[in-house]
Amino acid sequence: MPRGKKNILNYLIIVLWILAIPAIAYISSLDYKISVAVFAGVVGLVVAVISLLNYRAGYYILITVSLSVHALERMSGAELPVGIFLDGLLLTILMGIIFDKKVRTKSNIDYLRDPLLLILYLYTCYLLIQCFNPNMFSMQGWVVYIRVFIRNLIFLFITMRMINSWQDVHAFFKFWLTISTLAALYGCLQQIVGLLPFEQAYINRYPDKFITVMIQGRPRIFSFMADPAAFGVLMACGAIIGMVLLTAGREVISMQKKCLLLFMTGVHLLALGFSGTRTAYVMLPMGLMLFFLVNLHNRNTIIAACISVMGMLALLFGPFYGNATVVRIRSAFVGTKDESLNLRDVNRHSVQPYIYAHPIGGGIMTTGNDGTLFNPGHPLAGFQTDSGYLHTVLELGWIGLIIICLYMYIGLQYAVSNYFKNDDPLNKLLLIGIASVMFAIIVAQYAQEAAGLVETSLFLNALLAISVKIKYNLNNSKQ
């Protein structure tokens, strides 16, 4: 563009912004709802432009919004169209990638032969075929589920496109640990001062969303995330990665950075305890167990394992009886004495005949509250699965369960294989951290729909994408 025309365009943009300020102020003064809509529109437009011009910035904005958008809901006091905004932002990032001409990196990923991606394609086809499931009463729930699945699918491939070097991997984990630490700090603040007035008002307005918030006379902490379950699971993931990185030698991570890591890990552990999520309590030792088994030759790992075991024994058998958090943690490991856990086992046995009789399942969105909403009158409607695997086998049948298990197994196998193929000490720790978090989520799926939570699925898809990209492009590179 000629210099004169470019200057004219810049002046025009400045004039439009000057005129827009009083116009927006006048429109906003007419009505509160209009002012909120105008503000959201301006923010959305700015984010869309940023995502188109810099898809990497848009990618991290997407993660930030996905994790914290529920705090905006509580501040506004009303339910917001979160899904529409995320879908729009994701498509904008995708367009930014398509039209990006600055970086054209060639990927060696075999999209048509890779085992993990082939299983993913098979699962996608299986979900599409589910629309013909005769056991499903309504297509509405299927449409909602497919929309979320496509969102996760696009996010997976966007992550694979964005990770082009180890610097990108390091940047991702730095960002994730930062925002996870901020969530942990906010959760600790909630525990110290109590829920803020707008949060309490939102709970009172939508009590059905927070049925399990009050446990043993105290609120379970959820920070700025959707609920205590999502918060607890992510705190466990962050704590696992932090503890893995703390075992690095001084030549890999300096003492200053280790002190920062120690603080971040400690805050994660505190927030994990305050969340009251028993599944997340189990995730921590399960993830660390895989890490310890792989690194028993490392002196720092043995020290960390001894400290972890001693801390766990102190929590389980120490003379702490009046603390509600400690009691809640103990109940996760002494399940036979907990009536709610026993009731879950009874419920699982009661639906086994239905599982055997329906190899393709009862249909998508037919269990629990979703079943009551989208498929009222269905035999599974209102049945609380309390397990990711049980939820899958009831809705998608044992065929769907086999596909899901294969997908998780191959993803974990990729992460472990990448660890043994890499030589850089820091990269090896990140890779075994990925494997440990994946294993912890796989175990957590037995007791809770951990991988189905929005925040967890975001993190898990990112880790799977990173594992695939490392397998093909970065295993022999330290740049």
Side-chain angles (χ1 to χ4, degrees), residues 8 93 142 148 192 309 323 442 462:
I8 293 174
I93 297 170
W142 178 86
V148 176
I192 295 171
V309 171
N323 189 289
I442 290 173

Side-chain angles (χ1 to χ4, degrees), residues 45-351:
L45 181 62
V46 171
V47 171
V49 172
I50 293 174
S51 301
L52 281 173
L53 298 178
N54 188 339
Y55 69 87
R56 292 179 180 274
Y59 177 83
Y60 288 116
I61 291 174
L62 174 67
I63 295 177
T64 304
V65 171
S66 300
L67 296 181
S68 60
V69 70
H70 296 285
L72 299 178
E73 275 191 323
R74 294 165 196 144
M75 289 179 182
S76 65
E79 294 179 305
L80 301 177
V82 176
I84 296 176
F85 180 77
L86 294 179
D87 292 342
L89 180 55
L90 195 64
L91 291 177
T92 305
I93 297 170
L94 186 60
M95 291 176 60
I97 292 176
I98 293 173
F99 295 110
D100 177 72
K101 295 181 179 180
K102 294 180 180 178
V103 181
R104 292 289 184 184
T105 57
K106 183 179 180 180
S107 175
N108 297 325
I109 297 176
D110 194 342
Y111 289 98
L112 299 180
R113 295 182 181 179
D114 181 78
L116 183 70
L117 296 180
L118 287 177
I119 293 295
L120 182 59
Y121 302 151
L122 175 63
Y123 182 62
T124 304
C125 294
Y126 186 73
L127 289 180
L128 296 177
I129 294 173
Q130 278 289 322
C131 71
F132 303 107
N133 192 328
N135 303 310
M136 191 168 54
F137 292 175
S138 171
M139 288 284 294
Q140 185 180 0
W142 178 86
V143 172
V144 173
Y145 185 89
I146 289 297
R147 172 187 164 191
V148 176
F149 174 76
I150 292 175
R151 182 194 304 162
N152 292 331
L153 196 65
I154 294 175
F155 180 80
L156 178 79
F157 284 98
I158 286 178
T159 305
M160 283 195 286
R161 173 62 182 81
M162 198 195 73
I163 301 297
N164 296 315
S165 65
W166 278 108
Q167 282 78 5
D168 294 334
V169 177
H170 298 166
F172 173 83
F173 278 101
K174 287 177 181 178
F175 174 82
W176 190 273
L177 283 176
T178 299
I179 193 170
S180 182
T181 302
L182 292 175
L185 288 170
Y186 187 67
C188 292
L189 177 65
Q190 285 180 328
Q191 176 69 21
I192 295 171
V193 304
L195 299 180
L196 299 180
F198 70 87
E199 293 170 334
Q200 192 62 55
Y202 190 83
I203 291 176
N204 294 336
R205 187 168 186 176
Y206 300 100
D208 294 341
K209 291 185 175 183
F210 299 90
I211 295 176
T212 60
V213 167
M214 296 301 297
I215 298 292
Q216 297 174 349
R218 72 174 184 90
R220 295 172 60 192
I221 300 304
F222 46 81
S223 186
F224 49 69
M225 296 185 187
D227 52 42
F231 178 58
V233 169
L234 283 191
M235 290 301 100
C237 295
I240 291 172
I241 294 175
M243 295 180 73
V244 168
L245 292 176
L246 281 172
T247 63
R250 293 184 181 180
E251 67 281 0
V252 179
I253 298 179
S254 65
M255 287 303 298
Q256 292 84 354
K257 292 182 179 180
K258 274 197 173 185
C259 290
L260 178 60
L261 264 175
L262 184 61
F263 169 76
M264 297 170 73
T265 305
V267 174
H268 274 83
L269 291 173
L270 285 174
L272 171 61
F274 298 148
S275 71
T277 308
R278 287 185 293 201
T279 302
Y281 298 154
V282 178
M283 286 178 62
L284 186 62
M286 289 295 102
L288 292 178
M289 181 180 67
L290 176 63
F291 168 67
F292 293 150
L293 289 176
V294 173
N295 286 274
L296 282 177
H297 60 279
N298 188 299
R299 181 179 64 88
N300 290 347
T301 302
I302 296 176
I303 295 174
C306 294
I307 294 174
S308 300
V309 171
M310 291 176 62
M312 180 64 67
L313 292 176
L315 274 176
L316 294 180
F317 304 107
F320 316 111
Y321 305 105
N323 189 289
T325 301
V326 175
V327 173
R328 183 73 175 172
I329 293 174
R330 287 175 177 174
S331 68
F333 298 94
V334 193
T336 55
K337 297 181 181 180
D338 189 273
E339 294 183 1
S340 65
L341 294 178
N342 293 334
L343 179 61
R344 293 181 184 183
D345 291 334
V346 172
N347 290 338
R348 288 166 185 160
H349 288 294
S350 67
V351 294

